[in-house]
Each structure stands twice: as structure tokens, then as C-alpha cells.
Amino acid sequence: MKEIDKWKLEEKLGIKGWNFDHLDNRWFNEPLPWNYLKLVLKYLKPNMQLLDMGTGGGELLKKFNHPAKNTQVTEAWEPNIKLLKQTLAIEGVRVIENEHEADIPVADNSLDMITNSHAAFDAELVKQKLKQNGLFIIKIFRL
């Protein structure tokens, strides 16, 4: 198969949420020295108010198994927003559409934890939205 034909096939697959399983064995990323999911689960308690920034399709968020009534997500990409309205929103998770992925349109001092596995963020804004002793857990990639 010619390279251009491979690209055209890839284009037809498109992106849905934040699931890239179709790329398995076709790319490599160095493993992180920690496990992001385990770190979040170590500190996340059911009664905590959680916000997941730039949640994509919510695939990673679902692994947190956090009560929907205490969970909010932000997302800026329209195809993912539509997906989230069909999945997380009907389960009771508050889906917040934001124009810029670093925006956090929630009340100040209202969150116990903010998670962010890949979205842009403004550290001052994150601090403003967290309650005293709140946690910000981010998965940083080295380029």
C-alpha cells in the first residue's frame, strides 16, 4: 500500500474522544516514571469535588470511578463535546464547554481536585479555583 493510501485510510478513521487504540504498535512514547492513574486514585475521595480539564472523550476520567454528582469536566473541541453530552452528561457529570482549554468556568475555591492529563492550563487560575489544600495533578509529557 502506498504511503498516501495509508494516510487516506487514517483520515477516514478520524478521532473520537481520546482513544488512539488504532495506533497501537505504530508509535512509541517513553514511559513516565510514575503512574498518573494510580496517583490520582491515591488522593481522590468520593466526597471530593473533581474537575478534569480537557477531558477528551472521558476515557481516562471513567477510570477514576468518581461519583458523577461530584465530577465536572471541561472540553474545548466540539466533536468531543458532542460525545460527552451523549455519554458523561447523561450519567450526571457536568460537562463544561470552554472556548480556550485553559479556562476553568467554575466558582473560585470550589474544587478539591483538578486533574489534567494533557490540556493547557494557567497555574494562577488553577490555584484560584481550588479550595484551600486542594490538589492539582497533571500528567506532564517530555517532548
Side-chain angles (χ1 to χ4, degrees):
M1 180 182 285
K2 293 180 182 178
E3 202 63 34
I4 189 73
D5 294 327
K6 291 178 186 177
W7 293 347
K8 287 179 180 179
L9 179 62
E10 194 68 38
E11 182 179 39
K12 287 180 185 176
L13 289 174
I15 298 173
K16 186 173 184 180
W18 201 247
N19 183 340
F20 300 100
D21 288 347
H22 66 281
L23 297 176
D24 283 352
N25 301 315
R26 294 174 42 196
W27 68 285
F28 173 76
N29 191 20
E30 287 185 32
L32 295 170
W34 68 89
N35 184 302
Y36 178 74
L37 178 59
K38 286 182 181 179
L39 186 62
V40 170
L41 294 177
K42 178 179 178 179
Y43 294 101
L44 185 61
K45 306 297 178 229
N47 63 330
M48 295 174 88
Q49 289 298 315
L50 169 68
L51 174 86
D52 187 43
M53 294 181 69
T55 199
E59 296 86 1
L60 181 56
L61 175 76
K62 290 177 185 176
K63 293 178 181 179
F64 298 168
N65 199 29
H66 196 62
K69 67 179 182 169
N70 294 337
T71 305
Q72 303 173 67
V73 299
T74 61
E75 181 56 44
W77 194 47
E78 186 59 35
N80 282 346
I81 293 167
K82 289 179 182 176
L83 176 63
L84 294 168
K85 287 180 178 180
Q86 297 168 355
T87 56
L88 295 181
I90 62 174
E91 294 174 10
V93 172
R94 180 176 174 217
V95 175
I96 303 167
E97 300 177 41
N98 54 355
E99 186 175 340
H100 305 286
E101 69 178 8
D103 292 345
I104 307 174
V106 301
D108 292 352
N109 304 307
S110 65
L111 301 167
D112 297 293
M113 182 184 287
I114 298 175
T115 55
N116 182 330
S117 63
H118 65 271
F121 67 93
D122 175 332
E124 285 298 319
L125 187 58
V126 167
K127 181 181 176 188
Q128 185 179 331
K129 302 303 175 175
L130 285 169
K131 295 177 182 176
Q132 187 173 4
N133 299 317
L135 299 169
F136 179 47
I137 301 178
I138 183 166
K139 183 178 186 180
I140 297 180
F141 294 96
R142 185 176 60 179
L143 300 177

